[in-house]
């Protein structure tokens, strides 16, 4: 099934949700800014005292995952990163390969190469598990409202990246966020681009305090949540 179309400057747009996965103009830098930097991950990875559990809402092209795996590997940690993600419409190998090719440095990184090699061999109809050094990727294939019920490990960090609330209200609804509430460890953090009322309310529902930070580039603001 075709899931994406590539628009001007190769920006991937979902055919299911009519929204973009990221802006190709600075999309990689923006993912790094909002999710990795926004959650203070380099500092947290450096000081790890146990394995780190991270949950992403929306695997998409795997760009945020790969940036995170590459960042984690810089620290040569004796601990593991357990990166769980959710995906209703897994992109085919060809679609992911095409989207990632845009980012020269990332695409030539050995972690990306190994990821693509393993992803190519996976059936995309059930859970996808990929191991890259001490990073364990688990993609829960299906609707996040259901698939999140199957996990129990408390998470230290959340990437809230399920498209804009106006395009995909389900990913910002109580069914998904009652799972985020259940799975969030004390002091876990969550970040996203959107600062809409709906996002603030659903973070509060899940037991997070939130604050605003300067957004990426020309964007005024983004949100960081911390679990009380
Ligand atoms: C903005 S994209 C994610 C971008 C991604 N993090 C990346 O690095 O490319 C949002 C993703 O959420 C997925 N999605 C939307 N609704 C979903 C649902 N109910 N359950 C699971 N995944 C969903 C979409 O298919 C899409 O791949």
């Amino acid at each position: 099934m075709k899931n994406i179309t590539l628009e001007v400057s190769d920006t991937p747009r979902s055919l299911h949700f009519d929204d973009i996965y990221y802006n190709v103009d600075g999309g990689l830098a923006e993912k790094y800014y909002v999710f990795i930097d926004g959650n203070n991950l380099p500092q947290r990875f450096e000081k790890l005292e146990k394995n780190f559990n991270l949950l992403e809402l929306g695997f998409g092209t795997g760009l945020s995952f790969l940036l995170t795996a590459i960042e984690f590997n810089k620290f040569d940690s004796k601990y593991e990163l357990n990166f769980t993600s959710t995906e209703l419409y897994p992109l085919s190998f060809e679609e992911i390969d095409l989207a990632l090719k845009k980012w020269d440095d990332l695409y030539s990184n050995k972690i990306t190469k190994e990821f693509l090699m393993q992803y190519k061999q996976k059936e995309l109809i059930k859970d996808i598990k990929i191991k890259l050094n001490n990073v364990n990727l688990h993609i829960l294939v299906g609707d996040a409202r259901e698939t999140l019920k199957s996990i129990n490990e408390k998470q230290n960090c959340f990437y809230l990246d399920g498209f804009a609330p106006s395009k995909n209200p389900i990913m910002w609804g109580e069914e998904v966020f009652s799972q985020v509430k259940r799975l969030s460890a004390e002091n876990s953090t969550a970040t996203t681009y959107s600062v809409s009322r709906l996002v603030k309310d659903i973070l509060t529902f899940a037991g997070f305090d939130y604050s605003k930070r300067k957004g990426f580039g020309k964007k005024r603001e983004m949100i960081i949540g911390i679990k009380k």
Side-chain angles (χ1 to χ4, degrees), residues 28 31-32 36 56 59 61-74 81 83 96-97 99-101 103 106-116 119 130 132 135 137 159:
L28 181 147
K31 292 264 188 241
Y32 189 94
I36 297 180
E56 176 181 55
F59 186 74
T61 65
L63 179 58
S64 295
F65 163 68
L66 287 166
L67 287 171
T68 312
I70 290 167
E71 187 65 35
F72 190 79
N73 265 276
K74 286 183 191 162
L81 169 64
F83 192 109
I96 288 214
D97 189 59
L100 293 176
K101 257 193 188 121
W103 318 108
L106 180 103
Y107 192 68
S108 57
N109 189 293
K110 61 178 190 315
I111 291 177
T112 305
K113 287 187 178 153
E114 177 62 29
F115 162 75
L116 285 169
Y119 192 85
I130 286 176
L132 304 166
V135 176
L137 170 65
Y159 291 179

Side-chain angles (χ1 to χ4, degrees), residues 31-43 213 224:
K31 292 264 188 241
Y32 189 94
Y33 180 86
V34 173
F35 297 112
I36 297 180
D37 209 36
N39 284 294
N40 206 19
L41 293 186
Q43 290 77 1
R213 173 191 188 206
I224 304 179

Side-chain angles (χ1 to χ4, degrees), residues 2 9 12 30 32 40-41 50 87 99 103 105 119 139 141 170 180 182 198 203 212 219:
K2 194 167 180 250
S9 4
E30 184 169 23
Y32 189 94
N40 206 19
L41 293 186
K50 57 181 180 173
E87 187 47 63
W103 318 108
D105 284 355
Y119 192 85
I139 308 173
V141 178
I170 283 172
V180 170
R182 179 179 68 87
L198 193 150
L203 277 171
K212 290 180 190 164
K219 290 189 186 161

Side-chain angles (χ1 to χ4, degrees), residues 6-7 32 34 41 68 105 120 122-123 128 132 139 144 155 163 176 206 217 228:
L6 293 184
E7 341 187 292
Y32 189 94
V34 173
L41 293 186
T68 312
D105 284 355
K120 193 174 188 174
K122 300 293 176 188
E123 279 186 67
I128 301 164
L132 304 166
I139 308 173
Q155 304 294 314
F163 290 132
V176 170
K228 289 176 256 181

Side-chain angles (χ1 to χ4, degrees), residues 11-196:
T11 297
R13 176 177 289 275
S14 167
L15 294 171
H16 306 286
F17 295 94
D18 189 26
D19 199 359
I20 53 171
Y21 286 73
Y22 43 72
N23 267 313
V24 158
D25 256 356
L28 181 147
E30 184 169 23
K31 292 264 188 241
Y32 189 94
Y33 180 86
V34 173
F35 297 112
I36 297 180
D37 209 36
N39 284 294
N40 206 19
L41 293 186
Q43 290 77 1
R44 290 164 82 184
F45 288 164
E46 194 174 10
K47 294 187 184 135
L48 275 192
E49 290 178 359
K50 57 181 180 173
N51 293 348
F52 193 87
N53 296 338
L54 191 159
L55 179 65
E56 176 181 55
L57 299 183
F59 186 74
T61 65
L63 179 58
S64 295
F65 163 68
L66 287 166
L67 287 171
T68 312
I70 290 167
E71 187 65 35
F72 190 79
N73 265 276
K74 286 183 191 162
F75 296 97
D76 200 19
S77 180
K78 61 179 174 186
Y79 299 104
E80 303 208 331
L81 169 64
N82 298 314
F83 192 109
T84 306
S85 192
T86 59
E87 187 47 63
L88 182 54
Y89 299 114
L91 299 189
S92 66
F93 167 77
E94 289 75 17
E95 288 171 323
I96 288 214
D97 189 59
L98 191 65
L100 293 176
K101 257 193 188 121
K102 173 82 190 171
W103 318 108
D104 291 342
D105 284 355
L106 180 103
Y107 192 68
S108 57
N109 189 293
K110 61 178 190 315
I111 291 177
T112 305
K113 287 187 178 153
E114 177 62 29
F115 162 75
L116 285 169
M117 206 178 78
Q118 292 191 41
Y119 192 85
K120 193 174 188 174
Q121 288 156 19
K122 300 293 176 188
E123 279 186 67
L124 304 178
I125 47 170
K126 53 182 185 188
D127 289 356
I128 301 164
K129 290 192 175 172
I130 286 176
K131 187 159 176 59
L132 304 166
N133 301 334
N134 52 353
V135 176
N136 305 305
L137 170 65
H138 181 187
I139 308 173
L140 305 163
V141 178
D143 191 325
R145 288 175 294 180
E146 283 307 314
T147 57
L148 289 174
K149 292 178 187 164
S150 68
I151 59 169
N152 290 308
E153 298 74 25
K154 294 276 187 200
Q155 304 294 314
N156 306 108
C157 177
F158 296 83
Y159 291 179
L160 309 178
D161 197 13
F163 290 132
S166 56
K167 299 280 185 173
N168 191 16
I170 283 172
M171 277 294 242
W172 301 94
E174 291 194 2
E175 277 179 273
V176 170
F177 275 78
S178 56
Q179 297 304 318
V180 170
K181 183 176 189 177
R182 179 179 68 87
L183 293 168
S184 43
E186 201 183 337
N187 293 324
S188 58
T189 59
T191 57
T192 189
Y193 313 96
S194 174
V195 290
S196 69

